[in-house]
Amino acid sequence: MSLSRITVTAVRNLHPVTLSPSPRINILHGANGSGKTSVLEAIHLLGLARSFRSTRLQPVIHYEQPACTVFGQVQLAEGGSSNLGISRDRQGELQIRIDGQNARSAAQLADLLPLQLINPDSFRLLEGAPKIRRQFLDWGVFHVEHRFLGAWQRLQKALRQRNSWLRHGTLDGASQAAWDRELCSASDEIDTYRRAYIQALKPVFERTLAELLQLEGLTLSYYRGWDKDRELSEVLASSLFRDQQLGHTQAGPQRADLRLRLAGHNAAEILSRGQQKLVVCALRIAQGHLVNEAKRGQCIYLVDDLPSELDEQHRQALCRLLEDLHCQVFITCVDNELLREGWQMDTPVSMFHVEHGRITQTQDHRE
Ligand SMILES: Nc1ncnc2c1ncn2[C@@H]1O[C@H](COP(=O)(O)OP(=O)(O)OP(=O)(O)O)[C@@H](O)[C@H]1O
Ligand SMILES: [Mg+2]
């Protein structure tokens, strides 16, 4: 997938604008505070119905405007195009339109516009809470395994039932046993998809990382959220008392994690900031390759402040990997000289200069 047109109104400091980006490399450059990240924010909003900086959408709306909107025309993998629109007002009203129809959920947007974000906060994937790594993992599984979403929804429902029962005990034994069976079956299904995904991801990740860094012995492993040698039903039965005390279910896929280790330590504790960024880039680029292989379209990369924390050699290596993915990429930087050269002759590159919220195209990929 790629965005062939984007129209942005009242997102942060951006003046209303319509862009026709390159299907491959797009570079947004300009001074600090000019609005580069805001463009990525607008695309993020279109693909996920939420901001990547704030959990609230309110700060994304221009101070003086009642609502922000983003429209995009997406070129689909199977040919043809789809028109997406998202609008959010100050009262919290969110409207998602897909080809002129109101959409039911943000998952529909995510399916049409698979986004990968690489920004200065990316190291959190290594350092942060397991939830961030689960989101990373599930993004990948969602985009290559269409049965994942259904299993995930079943799990959430069964888990809500069980946690409510743990707290209030309102359900009779037989009904709760039925819900537990549902919980275990959805959990096994999710575990199967996640495990297969990690198995496919690992060699691609290792290959990608080797292009960026010489890190002998970095291992990626998957923890499913409960003892690998026991059935979930058995684990649930043995931890029932503790679950009741805590009021929620401790074991299960909602506790899964990915572990990156180096020389017997958590990789996040050992690697430098720049190395962490490169490891995260390798993980995200590997995900892009798996999306490509699944032939359900391609993802779009939003790379905020690419040069930060990377030296010349690593910056070039990363650009080459992004280019080799054949995906659409939006890259922001302060100094465009750092990214102007080095792309292959036949790669269409567009450049946009951002200044006080106004965007001017300085290089057109079609020329
Ligand atoms: N809701 C809003 N309404 C209007 N302006 C806003 C709003 N939120 C943020 N801004 C302003 O938008 C400007 C652009 O921010 P943005 O993060 O896009 O800059 P940037 O070009 O990415 O800068 P940097 O190079 O420092 O990362 C900032 O000056 C910020 O103060
Ligand atoms: Mg920025």
Side-chain angles (χ1 to χ4, degrees):
M1 268 73 99
S2 66
L3 280 162
S4 48
R5 205 172 56 242
I6 315 164
T7 299
V8 183
T9 316
V11 170
R12 292 192 181 269
N13 72 331
L14 296 178
H15 289 258
V17 69
T18 295
L19 305 174
S20 301
S22 158
R24 296 286 302 286
I25 306 293
N26 295 279
I27 297 172
L28 298 143
H29 59 99
N32 294 134
S34 55
K36 305 176 298 292
T37 302
S38 304
V39 179
L40 303 191
E41 184 86 82
I43 300 172
H44 197 269
L45 207 58
L46 188 64
L48 284 139
R50 60 183 162 80
S51 154
F52 61 77
R53 275 199 292 207
S54 159
T55 46
R56 296 178 307 124
L57 276 180
Q58 180 88 342
V60 178
I61 307 171
H62 189 287
Y63 305 137
E64 293 158 9
Q65 302 294 326
C68 66
T69 55
V70 187
F71 290 107
Q73 186 177 54
V74 184
Q75 299 303 313
L76 302 172
E78 61 269 25
S81 63
S82 204
N83 289 308
L84 313 183
I86 184 154
S87 152
R88 154 77 206 231
D89 69 19
R90 290 204 178 275
Q91 283 66 49
E93 185 74 25
L94 183 71
Q95 213 185 30
I96 303 173
R97 307 270 293 173
I98 299 178
D99 292 325
Q101 309 276 334
N102 284 332
R104 280 171 287 118
S105 78
Q108 283 177 278
L109 282 178
D111 198 30
L112 285 166
L113 206 62
L115 295 180
Q116 278 286 356
L117 174 68
I118 295 172
N119 70 4
D121 281 343
S122 287
F123 64 89
R124 287 191 206 288
L125 182 61
L126 303 187
E127 248 184 37
K131 185 178 175 194
I132 302 176
R133 285 178 293 281
R134 276 198 300 278
Q135 280 173 348
F136 165 84
L137 170 62
D138 290 342
W139 184 98
V141 188
F142 172 79
H143 285 293
V144 301
E145 172 53 75
H146 67 277
R147 291 171 295 183
F148 176 75
L149 183 62
W152 174 252
Q153 287 164 340
R154 280 173 54 215
L155 170 75
Q156 295 308 317
K157 196 165 169 191
L159 206 52
R160 270 199 306 276
Q161 281 289 342
R162 187 170 198 273
N163 288 342
S164 153
W165 171 72
L166 288 170
R167 282 193 287 269
H168 313 296
T170 43
L171 220 56
D172 64 83
S175 309
Q176 188 46 45
W179 276 112
D180 272 7
R181 279 195 298 279
E182 170 76 353
L183 178 69
C184 292
S185 123
S187 298
D188 286 338
E189 194 178 340
I190 287 172
D191 177 44
T192 305
Y193 299 148
R194 284 175 171 172
R195 187 181 304 274
Y197 183 74
I198 289 298
Q199 230 168 27
L201 185 76
K202 259 168 96 164
V204 187
F205 164 61
E206 283 161 13
R207 236 181 3 251
T208 310
L209 186 64
E211 304 265 328
L212 289 171
L213 276 179
Q214 297 310 315
L215 273 184
E216 290 306 316
L218 183 82
T219 58
L220 169 69
S221 62
Y222 160 65
Y223 166 64
R224 65 173 174 171
W226 72 98
D227 191 332
K228 67 178 177 5
D229 300 319
R230 292 165 77 200
E231 296 286 334
L232 182 58
S233 54
E234 207 183 313
V235 176
L236 291 180
S238 63
S239 60
L240 181 59
F241 181 64
R242 180 116 183 88
D243 283 356
Q244 274 171 331
Q245 278 183 324
L246 291 170
H248 65 262
T249 308
Q250 295 173 83
Q254 74 282 6
R255 283 297 177 91
D257 200 356
L258 293 177
R259 290 176 179 161
L260 279 129
R261 298 184 69 78
L262 186 65
H265 296 271
N266 182 352
E269 289 165 5
I270 297 203
L271 299 178
S272 73
R273 247 321 131 70
Q275 287 175 321
Q276 290 184 35
K277 181 159 189 172
L278 292 165
V279 168
V280 172
C281 288
L283 283 166
R284 296 201 173 280
I285 289 172
Q287 286 203 313
H289 282 292
L290 293 195
V291 173
N292 285 354
E293 280 169 24
K295 304 219 182 317
R296 290 175 61 199
Q298 288 180 309
C299 51
I300 297 175
Y301 281 78
L302 306 178
V303 189
D304 200 12
D305 207 0
L306 177 128
S308 75
E309 284 154 343
L310 299 181
D311 59 41
E312 168 79 18
Q313 180 214 334
H314 289 108
R315 190 168 61 236
Q316 281 184 9
L318 178 58
C319 286
R320 214 161 27 245
L321 285 174
L322 286 168
E323 194 174 18
D324 289 347
L325 263 176
H326 291 260
C327 288
Q328 188 174 40
V329 188
F330 292 84
I331 304 175
T332 74
C333 58
V334 174
D335 180 3
N336 68 326
E337 290 307 322
L338 295 176
L339 296 172
R340 185 185 286 281
E341 306 295 333
W343 307 103
Q344 281 157 21
M345 282 291 286
D346 56 351
T347 299
V349 179
S350 282
M351 300 190 91
F352 301 89
H353 183 225
V354 189
E355 198 174 16
H356 302 304
R358 291 187 195 278
I359 305 173
T360 343
Q361 185 155 11
T362 51
Q363 181 176 315
D364 189 333
H365 65 277
R366 289 159 295 196
E367 285 165 4

